Amino acid sequence: MSVLRVHHLNGATLCPRVPARLLGQQGSARLVCHCLVLETARDGLIVVDTGFGTADVEEPGRLPGGFRALTGARLRREETLLAQLESLGHRAADVRHVVVTHLDLDHAGGLGDFPRAAVHLHERELQVATAQATVRDRLRYRAVQWAHGPDWHTYAETGDTWRGLPAIRKLRGVDAEVALLPMHGHSRGHSAVLVGHAGQWLVHAGDAYFHRGAVSEPPVVPLGLRLFEAQVRDDKRAWRASVTALRELRAAHRDLAMFCAHDPAEFEAMAQPAN
Ligand SMILES: [Zn+2]
């Protein structure tokens, strides 16, 4: 088995100033940025999504003020993946690959902490993020987060499938079972990331949905997250098709553990015990 160990780490905390019940929560409203660090036999460390990075913490102005105010982004050095990896005894140079669901600012912030890693993603996501064609794109995609010039590796659907869905099963230079499952809609080149480990598939759905109720049967999503989702998604029809595909996958297969980026209950269920 080429993925030896999976760490579920929270790469950023968001505390939106809204009543918790609007997010289906109690107490104070809180969202996480669920990231993975994979210890592998042959590929060093592989990171899936990166939360905010050290430079975001040191220079909050890299993130738009409106975003910080709306989401209540907590910028803490100890929550960066780099700091958490170091506390696990690893170094930045141990990270040889980063796979990103998409390049929104709360997923790409840590890219600069792993400047020597190959960065794998859907080709359409990189095209749109780097084109910076609209004000909206310039707010969600922060070019400063990849100003160091990552070693990008991009992919498109070429006929390969996983469980009947278009997939990119083989990432360049990666021996471990890590794949992209295109789930466009939230952003134009958004993908879920699949990780084969211990006879099971982890399905990191990124921002394809925001609350676990979206992939339950019947789907039930708290009002605040439905409104937020409608604000930030790029293509409603593609987004709906993605959520439906994920819900059907989850219902049809017992060997999947599915989670999205921002649901704290899903994160806490996966994060303990470490496996
Ligand atoms: Zn996000």
Side-chain angles (χ1 to χ4, degrees):
M1 184 59 70
S2 56
V3 174
L4 304 174
R5 188 162 186 206
V6 179
H7 300 272
H8 295 263
L9 302 176
N10 174 21
T13 299
L14 309 173
C15 299
R17 286 189 200 96
V18 297
R21 65 188 152 72
L22 283 181
L23 308 187
Q25 300 176 353
Q26 296 179 331
S28 305
R30 177 176 161 267
L31 300 172
V32 298
C33 290
H34 194 152
C35 303
L36 304 177
V37 174
L38 314 176
E39 295 182 19
T40 73
R42 297 192 202 156
D43 306 317
L45 297 181
I46 302 176
V47 165
V48 179
D49 274 2
T50 68
F52 297 129
T54 307
D56 299 322
V57 173
E58 290 173 352
E59 299 169 56
R62 283 162 53 107
L63 311 173
F67 167 82
R68 281 181 280 135
L70 179 72
T71 63
R74 296 282 185 268
L75 296 166
R76 298 190 188 116
R77 157 101 180 112
E78 63 270 24
E79 245 178 21
T80 62
L81 281 197
L82 177 58
Q84 295 187 70
L85 283 178
E86 285 172 346
S87 71
L88 290 168
H90 300 293
R91 296 168 304 144
D94 299 335
V95 176
R96 287 175 35 201
H97 300 275
V98 177
V99 187
V100 283
T101 57
H102 63 308
L103 286 173
D104 272 353
L105 70 180
D106 52 328
H107 299 255
L111 289 178
D113 285 333
F114 311 111
R116 296 201 290 185
V119 180
H120 304 265
L121 75 167
H122 197 281
E123 69 176 16
R124 191 155 20 138
E125 187 68 8
L126 184 61
Q127 281 164 8
V128 172
T130 54
Q132 301 266 297
T134 65
V135 171
R136 189 165 180 264
D137 285 349
R138 288 192 285 279
L139 289 172
R140 74 186 297 180
Y141 297 123
R142 306 302 286 173
V144 69
Q145 292 179 329
W146 50 81
H148 58 286
D151 175 20
W152 301 114
H153 289 258
T154 61
Y155 306 85
E157 298 86 336
T158 55
D160 211 355
T161 60
W162 180 83
R163 306 273 159 108
L165 295 168
I168 294 106
R169 298 287 303 261
K170 180 75 191 130
L171 302 185
R172 284 173 219 120
V174 177
D175 180 63
E177 278 188 312
V178 181
L180 291 172
L181 187 66
M183 286 286 154
H184 304 325
H186 171 72
S187 67
R188 276 156 280 180
H190 183 283
S191 299
V193 177
L194 306 169
V195 177
H197 173 60
Q200 188 185 42
W201 285 97
L202 302 178
V203 182
H204 187 314
D207 286 5
Y209 67 92
F210 283 130
H211 184 273
R212 57 203 174 280
V215 289
S216 302
E217 196 57 65
V220 183
V221 178
L223 175 65
L225 288 168
R226 267 185 283 146
L227 294 173
F228 183 62
E229 199 152 59
Q231 285 293 314
V232 295
R233 71 184 163 218
D234 194 76
D235 178 330
K236 184 176 179 183
R237 187 183 297 183
W239 166 81
R240 185 170 284 154
S242 291
V243 182
T244 301
L246 289 167
R247 188 184 313 126
E248 289 174 357
L249 260 184
R250 190 163 170 271
H253 301 283
R254 292 252 160 252
D255 61 342
L256 305 181
M258 184 180 292
F259 48 89
C260 67
H262 296 302
D263 186 322
E266 285 185 333
F267 174 74
E268 275 142 31
M270 297 302 297
Q272 48 182 311
N275 53 11

